[in-house]
Amino acid sequence: MPQSVPISDTPNVIFADDYILVAEKPAGLLSVPGRLPENKDCLVTRLQAQYPDALTVHRLDMATSGLMVFARGADAHRALSQAFADRRVAKRYIAVVAGQLEGDGEVDLPLITDWPNRPRQMVDRAIGKPSLTRYRAVAQGDGTSRVDLEPITGRSHQLRVHMMAIGHPIIGDVFYAPPDAQAMSDRLLLHAQSLALPHPRTGAALEFQSQAPF
């Protein structure tokens, strides 16, 4: 399981103005508060200690690290939420997966919640929601591959389930990888490395990058 992130750790904010914040979420930290008292610590709460008007627009899995954008105030939140809904926000991830994956391609498999095993998701061709991921292999290692991932849709656990479905689960994935691939890392090797979006006030194109810590 990912290591917990000390509460004393200050979020790494890489961009801030009067309308948005862009911060790096470490693996092992929730994006937003959970229901239980022990799950109240999260990235948005930490940010609100310095930026009280910070509002959540999207999420990353607790086990995933990388870039997140937050709105400052209701107007910016509406504009950013609409940009996500209209798919004017582009996200790219880097992952290390099991096996030798070469070239590029798409995974077009509909997903649905695996209700008896929540929060797990699963492929369901009959009633699943359309889900599309583009991938490009960038390097091969000893029984692993480094892969650039672009989610065209934004389903829960999409990248994790899609990689598992094509036989290349993400290393360190405690939900979807077999035991040998889980044991290769004490964290999920998935990082949100690139985020491109229109500024909620000016509409200017913004792009941010974050180096993967693995």
Side-chain angles (χ1 to χ4, degrees):
M1 296 292 289
Q3 299 295 314
S4 61
V5 180
I7 293 177
S8 59
D9 283 5
T10 301
N12 182 23
V13 177
I14 66 172
F15 179 84
D17 66 10
D18 291 338
Y19 304 95
I20 66 170
L21 303 169
V22 179
E24 291 180 311
K25 188 188 83 65
L29 183 66
L30 289 167
S31 297
V32 299
R35 294 181 180 178
L36 299 176
E38 59 267 31
N39 294 330
K40 295 305 181 186
D41 182 37
C42 61
L43 183 57
V44 69
T45 299
R46 295 187 185 191
L47 286 169
Q48 286 169 345
Q50 185 176 358
Y51 303 95
D53 57 353
L55 298 172
T56 305
V57 181
H58 66 123
R59 304 182 185 189
L60 291 178
D61 292 345
M62 181 177 181
T64 304
S65 58
L67 294 172
M68 290 184 64
V69 61
F70 296 84
R72 299 192 65 184
D75 289 344
H77 186 267
R78 281 191 292 271
L80 285 173
S81 296
Q82 192 62 52
F84 272 91
D86 294 342
R87 296 184 182 176
R88 289 181 286 124
V89 178
K91 297 177 287 182
R92 302 187 80 93
Y93 295 70
I94 194 75
V96 179
V97 303
Q100 299 296 296
L101 181 62
E102 299 181 349
D104 55 57
E106 293 185 346
V107 184
D108 186 1
L109 294 171
L111 301 178
I112 192 172
T113 301
D114 183 359
W115 286 104
N117 300 296
R118 287 175 292 174
R120 296 172 188 253
Q121 309 291 307
M122 64 182 185
V123 174
D124 190 315
R125 298 178 185 275
I127 60 173
K129 294 180 179 179
S131 306
L132 178 63
T133 299
R134 292 176 181 152
Y135 69 84
R136 179 176 62 88
V138 295
Q140 281 73 41
D142 184 12
T144 65
S145 302
R146 198 169 184 87
V147 185
D148 182 45
L149 299 173
E150 181 184 6
I152 305 305
T153 53
R155 310 301 180 199
S156 179
H157 290 191
Q158 176 177 315
L159 301 180
R160 300 163 73 168
V161 178
H162 276 175
M163 289 298 97
M164 178 270 294
I166 64 170
H168 297 281
I170 299 175
I171 298 299
D173 192 338
V174 299
F175 285 156
Y176 305 104
D180 57 341
Q182 290 183 31
M184 294 175 70
S185 174
D186 62 359
R187 62 151 293 180
L188 178 72
L189 298 188
L190 178 64
H191 181 79
Q193 66 172 355
S194 175
L195 185 63
L197 68 157
H199 190 277
R201 176 66 178 87
T202 68
L206 303 175
E207 185 170 357
F208 304 96
Q209 301 288 333
S210 171
Q211 186 69 33
F214 51 80

